[in-house]
Amino acid sequence: MKTEKADVPTPTTFEPRITAFVCNWCTYAGADLAGTSRLQYAPNLRIIKLPCTGRIDPLFVLKAFENGADAVLVSGCHPGDCHYTSGNYHARRRWTLFRKLLALTGIGDDRLFFSWVSAAEGQKFADLVNDVTAKVRKAGPFQAAHPGRKA
Amino acid sequence: MMKALRQEAAKLLQEKRAALIIGFAEREGHPALFISKPEDCERLFYDVSCRQNLAAYLSKPEVSARRPVAIVASLAALRSLVVLTAESQAAPGQVLALAVDKDAFLGTFDVAGAAELLRSKYPDLGPEKALLERVGELSKKSVVERAAFWAEEFAKCTRCYACRAACPGCYCARCIVEKNAPQWVSTAALGHGNYSWNIMRAFHQSGRCTLCGACEAACPQGLPLMVLNAALDREALEEFGARPGYDPEGKPVIGSWSAEDDHSYMR
Amino acid sequence: MARIGVFICHCGENIGRTVDCPAVSAAAVRMPGVVHSVDYKYMCSDPGQQMIKKAIVEMKLTGVVVAACSPRMHERTFRAAAAEAGLNPFLLEMANLREHCSWVHADKAAATQKAIDLVRVMVAKARRDRALRPIRVPVEPTALVVGGGIAGIQAALDIAAGGKKVVLVERGPSIGGHMARLSETFPTLDCSQCILTPRMVEAASHPNITLMTYSEVESVEGFVGNFTVTVRHKARYVDPAKCTGCGDCFNKCPLKNIPNEFDAGLGMRRAIYVPFPQAVPNKPVIDAAHCTMLQKGKCGLCAKICPRGAIDYKDQDSLVKVKVGAVVLATGFQLWDHAAYGEYGGGRLADVIDGFAFERLASASGPTGGLIKRPSDGKEPKTIVFLQCCGSRDDKAGKKYCSKICCMYTAKHAMLYRHKVHDGRAVVFYMDVRAAGKGYEEFVRRALSDDGAEYVRGRVSRITRKQDGTLVVRGADTLAGRPVTIEADLVVLADAVVPRPGSEKLAQIFGVGYDQDGFYSEAHPKLRPVETAAAGVFLAGACQAPKDIPESVAQASASAAKVLGLFANPELEREPIIARVNRATCAHCRACISACPYGAAKDFDVLDRAGKVLRTVVDVNEGLCQGCGTCAAVCRSHSVDLDGFTGEQIHAELNALL
C-alpha cells in the first residue's frame, strides 16, 4: 500500500540570509564570547565588522537588501559604553529616522533589527541571532517585488 | 502687495544692499528672474502658484559670486535660508530675504531677522493636513502593500534629478549618486537604483527639509516625494524636537545626539 | 593586480572539526585576486608563520587573509609576521572561522559554507587594503596640572620627581585647595595643614614645577603630546617679583569686613589679602570688586605703605601660552548649596552651617581660633545636630549619588566637638553609615563608644528657629519607629559633594566627557579609571567623583604614572585608522564637525598662492582622530572616508557576501 507521504511535495527549505553590521569593541567581542563559551546559534548570519556603529551609513543597509539579504542586523555598544564615547548615540539617531523611512516604504521590523550587545553578552548575542533567524524564517524571503531588491 | 515687493527690491538695488535680486517672473510656470537693475524690478511677480524655492540658488557659484543677494522668499524659503546659514552655505550679511506669505509682503530680513520672524510669528510650521493624512493612510497599510505602492511609484522615476536641482538642501559639490568608486546607488532607472536614490534623497533631507514642496513640484513624473519628507519631518519633531529652519546656529539633527533619544526599538 | 594569499588554520581540531578546511581552501583559490591558498594545522605556530612569510616573499603577495581565530586573538601576531616578510601589516586581514563559526555551529556543511563566505568577504576587503603607516607624533615632555588642591599638588610633585616639567594652574590666589581648610583629617586626626603645607612649599620651590596661581585655562589647541594651552593670568594688582609678603598692605587696608571665602564666610578679610596665613605663594592679591581704589579711584593706601612699590593698580589680565604633552585635570569639588532645601531653612538660618564652616570653627587657625562658637551670637553650642546625606541620595531635590566622604567627616566633627566641648551633645542623623576604608569603621565606632556621639537613624523633616535662637530639629527615628524633636544650638549639614562651577566648560575645552552631575568621565570605569576619552588628558581627585584625601592622592599618583609613561618616549605611535577628507568634493556643510566626538574635524581654508581664501572645507586632525568613522557616515556626499574601513572596502565586502 502506498503511503500518502510520497505525494506530499517536499517543502523547499528557506534559509534566511542575514547581514549584520557590528562594532569592533562591543558586539564583535560579544560574538567572540559566544564562541569561546561554545554557545550554538543559527548559521545564517554574516558579520561585517566596523570600528563603531557610528560608521554605518544607511547606504550600507540598502546595499545589503539590494544584494539579496533577507534581513539586516545592526548592533553596537550599549548607550554610554561606546569606545568612541558617542558613536552609538549618533547611530541611534540615524536609525530612528531611517527605520521609519524604510517601514513606510515596505521594509518593516521583521527585516531590520537593531540591538545593543556588549562584549560581555555572549549569550545575548547567540539568543539574538537565533531569534532574528526565526523571525526572518517566519517572514519568508525578502519579497522579490520589493523595489529595493535587485531584479 | 506686488507694489511693495517691487519698490523694496528696487530700493535694495539702489542702496546697494543687494547686487542681485532673485524673484519670480509672471509668465507661465513662474520661472526664476535674476535682476540687477532697479528699473527691472517692475517685472517681479509673486503669488502662491510660485512653487520654486529660490533659496536653492544661493549655493550656486554663479549666484554666490554676485553677493550681496536678495531672494523673494516664502516662509519655507525663509526656513531654507536659516538651514543654509546653519550649514555654512549662506554667508551671513551677504543674503537678504524679501519675505512673502500668500498675498502679503512681510518686509526685508537678514538671516537673524528671518529666524526671529519665524520664531515669533510662525513658530509651528509643518506639513499640511492633507499631506499628513496621506502619510497616515499609507502607514495603515501592510508592509507588503506599502512595498507595492512604492514599487509602482518609484518605477516611474526617470532619474532626471529635477527634485535634487529644485532642493535648497541638495547643494553637495558631488552628489552621492554621482560617485562611482564605489557606486552605492545604481544610476540605471530601474527598481533598486530608483529605490536607493529616492530613499537616500529623502533621508539626506531628514531634519533639514523645510517642506517647501519644490522637489515634488519639479518632478515631471509626479512622484509623491512630499509623503516621505513629511513622514520624516514628523518623526524628527516627535523624537528629537527638531524644527529645522528656526535657528541659524542650530546643530544638524543627524550629527548631534542626546542621551535621552528614544531607543525602544533597540533590543 | 592584487595577489592575495589565503591561509586557513585548523586550530588543531577547533576549526577543522566543524569546518572542512581543505574545501574552504579549494574555494578560496578560485576567488578573484587569490593566487595562493593553503590550510594548515596551526597557523599561529612558528612553522605556520614561516609558511605565511615564505609565501609573501616567493609568491610576491600584495595581501594576506588569515582565516583562523578572532582578530582580537592573533591579528597582532600575524601582522607582525607579515611585516617581517616585508609586507605592510595593514595589508593583512583575518577571517574569524573559530569564535564566529566552528565553535558556534555543529552542522559541518553549513559551517563550511559560512567559512567560505567569511573568507570571501575578507579577500574582497584585503584586495582594497592600502598600506598604512603608523602615525608618529613628537611628545612635548611637559605636563599641565589644572587645580592646585591636594590631588593637583600630588600629581605635580610626582611628575616633577620623574624628571619632567610641570605647569600647575590654580584658579585661586593660593594652592592648597580644600585640604588647607580642614581642621583635622580622618581617620587619624592628624592636623591637615601640618601634613599639607610642606607639600605646598615643595611644589612651589621644585625646580621642575612652574606655579601659575590666580590663573585659569582659557582654551586648548592640539592633541596628545602636543597641546598648546592658553592660560589667563588674572590681574593680581601686586607684582609678585617685588612683593616680599611682609603683610603691611593687608594690615593697613581700611576695608575690614569682607567675608573670607576660605573661612566659609565666618572670618573676614581685607580688599588686599592672602586667603590664609600659610598661603603659597604668600603674596597678596587685590580683590578688584571691593577695592575702593579700583572701584572709585580713591584710597591708594596699600601703594603708599608698600616699601617695595609692588602695588600696581593698572595691572591687567594677561594671556600666556604653554606647550604641554599631557594634562591632569584635578579641579576638585565644592559643597552643594542647601538653599534648595527650604525645610532646612533654605540657607537663611545663620546657625545652620555646612561641613566646611564647621571645619573652620574647629581649626586652630580658623576665625575662632579653634573654639566652637556659633555664627549668630558667638555662643558655645551645647547641642549640635549633624545631618548626613543633605542633598545626597535624593534624586528629587538633590543628587542621586552618595557623596562618600560625609559619613566619615561627620563622625570626625562629632568627635572634635566632644573633644572641645566636654559637656556638649552631638546628635547625628544618618541614613546608613558607610565607612568602608582602612580604619574607617573603627573610627566611627570610636565616635560612638569613646566620644559619645548619639546616632539616630532617620531623616530630618524640618528645622525651625525659636525666638531665643534655639533651633528645633524635627525628624524620625526609623529604628525606634517614632518621631523625634531635638533642640539644638547649631546644625551642621553634610552637603552633597558636587563638581566646581565651570567644570563642564573646562571639560568641553579639553574634550573630556562628563556625567549628568558634571563629574568628569573616565575612559573605562574599571580598567582605565584615570584616563579620559581625550587622549593625553588624565583625571585626579574629586573632579571625577566624590573622593577622600587618600583616594585623591592615589589617583593623582596614578595619573602622574600615566603621564610619565606617555613621556617615556620622545614620539607617540598611533594606529593609522583615521578619517580623511576629499577636499575637492567637501561642500562644508559641517555635519562631521558637529558629529566628531573628538573635535578632530575642523574648518580648513583652501588658499591660493597669494594666500587668499578660495573656499573653506573640512580637515581632520590626525592627532585627534580616533577612527570611529562617525564623520564618514554623516557625510552625505561621502567626502569623508575612513582608512582601514573605506566605503570602497565595505561596498566590496557587501558584494562579496551575497
Side-chain angles (χ1 to χ4, degrees), chain B residues 58 64 67-69 81 84-85 88-96 111:
Chain B
L58 291 174
S64 46
R67 286 168 179 166
V69 172
L81 177 59
L84 288 174
T85 307
S88 87
Q89 303 299 312
Q94 294 291 301
V95 181
L96 292 172
V111 173

Side-chain angles (χ1 to χ4, degrees), chain A residues 57-60 62-63 66 79 86 89-90 92-108 114-116 124 128 131 135 143 145-150, chain B residues 138-139 143-144 146-147 150-151 176 183-185 191-192 195-196 199-200 202-203 206 227-228 231-232 235-236 239-240 253-259 261-263 265-267:
Chain A
D57 189 306
L59 274 167
F60 301 175
L62 290 180
K63 192 54 137 187
E66 191 174 299
S86 60
Y89 286 124
H90 283 287
R92 177 169 71 179
R93 250 194 188 198
R94 216 175 287 154
W95 303 128
T96 298
L97 295 175
F98 189 63
R99 65 189 282 278
K100 175 85 181 175
L101 186 59
L102 288 206
L104 192 69
T105 54
I107 299 179
F114 300 91
S115 75
W116 312 122
K124 182 175 176 184
L128 177 74
D131 184 53
K135 284 204 165 71
Q143 27 165 339
H146 191 277
R149 175 135 184 199
K150 265 184 199 157
Chain B
L138 194 60
S139 305
V143 178
V144 177
R146 275 177 254 158
W150 288 105
I176 185 65
Q183 184 88 53
W184 284 103
V185 184
H192 65 273
Y195 183 74
S196 285
I199 291 299
M200 288 316 289
F203 183 72
S206 58
V227 171
L228 302 176
L232 283 173
E235 189 73 4
E239 295 292 341
F240 315 125
V253 174
I254 301 288
S256 59
W257 57 275
S258 156
D261 288 346
D262 172 60
H263 61 231
Y265 61 91
M266 305 285 286
R267 296 140 65 94

Side-chain angles (χ1 to χ4, degrees), chain B residues 11-84:
Chain B
K11 205 170 118 200
L12 290 182
L13 288 173
Q14 273 156 1
E15 290 173 2
K16 304 231 186 301
R17 288 168 67 200
L20 178 70
I21 307 272
I22 310 176
F24 296 95
E26 190 164 5
R27 68 190 153 92
E28 200 198 328
H30 308 300
L33 197 59
F34 297 79
I35 291 174
S36 49
K37 292 187 202 128
E39 57 270 30
D40 291 344
C41 289
E42 288 306 303
R43 290 162 58 205
L44 283 172
F45 177 85
Y46 185 78
D47 71 13
V48 288
S49 61
C50 297
R51 296 288 302 276
Q52 262 200 77
N53 184 336
L54 300 178
Y57 289 104
L58 291 174
S59 49
K60 308 278 183 242
E62 299 87 338
V63 169
S64 46
R66 291 171 69 185
R67 286 168 179 166
V69 172
I71 59 166
V72 174
S74 64
L75 296 178
L78 286 178
R79 290 178 72 193
S80 295
L81 177 59
V82 173
V83 169
L84 288 174

Side-chain angles (χ1 to χ4, degrees), chain C residues 276 566 585 588 632:
Chain C
F276 55 104
L566 182 66
T585 57
H588 196 236

Side-chain angles (χ1 to χ4, degrees), chain B residues 39-225:
Chain B
E39 57 270 30
D40 291 344
C41 289
E42 288 306 303
R43 290 162 58 205
L44 283 172
F45 177 85
Y46 185 78
D47 71 13
V48 288
S49 61
C50 297
R51 296 288 302 276
Q52 262 200 77
N53 184 336
L54 300 178
Y57 289 104
L58 291 174
S59 49
K60 308 278 183 242
E62 299 87 338
V63 169
S64 46
R66 291 171 69 185
R67 286 168 179 166
V69 172
I71 59 166
V72 174
S74 64
L75 296 178
L78 286 178
R79 290 178 72 193
S80 295
L81 177 59
V82 173
V83 169
L84 288 174
T85 307
E87 296 179 1
S88 87
Q89 303 299 312
Q94 294 291 301
V95 181
L96 292 172
L98 293 155
V100 289
D101 179 28
K102 295 186 193 80
D103 51 4
F105 173 62
L106 305 175
T108 306
F109 299 89
D110 60 4
V111 173
E116 183 49 43
L117 173 78
L118 289 163
R119 280 195 295 264
S120 59
K121 299 269 169 59
Y122 310 93
D124 204 17
L125 294 174
E128 282 163 16
K129 213 176 146 206
L131 187 55
L132 285 177
E133 278 166 11
R134 286 192 75 186
V135 176
E137 274 166 35
L138 194 60
S139 305
K140 273 187 226 124
K141 293 187 180 186
S142 74
V143 178
V144 177
E145 287 168 327
R146 275 177 254 158
F149 173 82
W150 288 105
E152 196 180 323
E153 290 296 339
F154 291 153
K156 297 175 197 163
C157 176
T158 62
R159 307 296 285 282
C160 69
Y161 305 124
C163 49
R164 183 179 72 188
C167 178
C170 278
Y171 53 74
C172 284
R174 179 210 55 202
C175 175
I176 185 65
V177 79
E178 255 110 46
K179 186 178 165 77
N180 58 12
Q183 184 88 53
W184 284 103
V185 184
S186 164
T187 49
L190 291 171
H192 65 273
N194 284 3
Y195 183 74
S196 285
W197 160 251
N198 282 286
I199 291 299
M200 288 316 289
R201 187 210 59 78
F203 183 72
H204 281 174
Q205 300 310 321
S206 58
R208 310 168 59 233
C209 175
T210 60
L211 301 161
C212 69
C215 52
E216 193 173 287
C219 179
Q221 298 293 85
L223 264 62
L225 302 177

Side-chain angles (χ1 to χ4, degrees), chain A residues 25-100:
Chain A
W25 304 96
C26 289
T27 304
Y28 194 91
D32 274 2
L33 181 61
T36 46
S37 318
R38 310 296 200 280
L39 304 169
Q40 300 294 299
Y41 57 81
N44 301 63
L45 183 103
R46 304 287 183 267
I47 281 180
I48 303 277
K49 182 178 82 168
L50 298 157
C52 177
T53 43
R55 171 72 184 95
I56 307 169
D57 189 306
L59 274 167
F60 301 175
V61 175
L62 290 180
K63 192 54 137 187
F65 280 120
E66 191 174 299
N67 284 355
D70 296 300
V72 170
L73 168 68
V74 172
S75 185
C77 305
H78 284 267
D81 288 355
C82 179
H83 179 78
Y84 306 100
T85 69
S86 60
N88 57 350
Y89 286 124
H90 283 287
R92 177 169 71 179
R93 250 194 188 198
R94 216 175 287 154
W95 303 128
T96 298
L97 295 175
F98 189 63
R99 65 189 282 278
K100 175 85 181 175

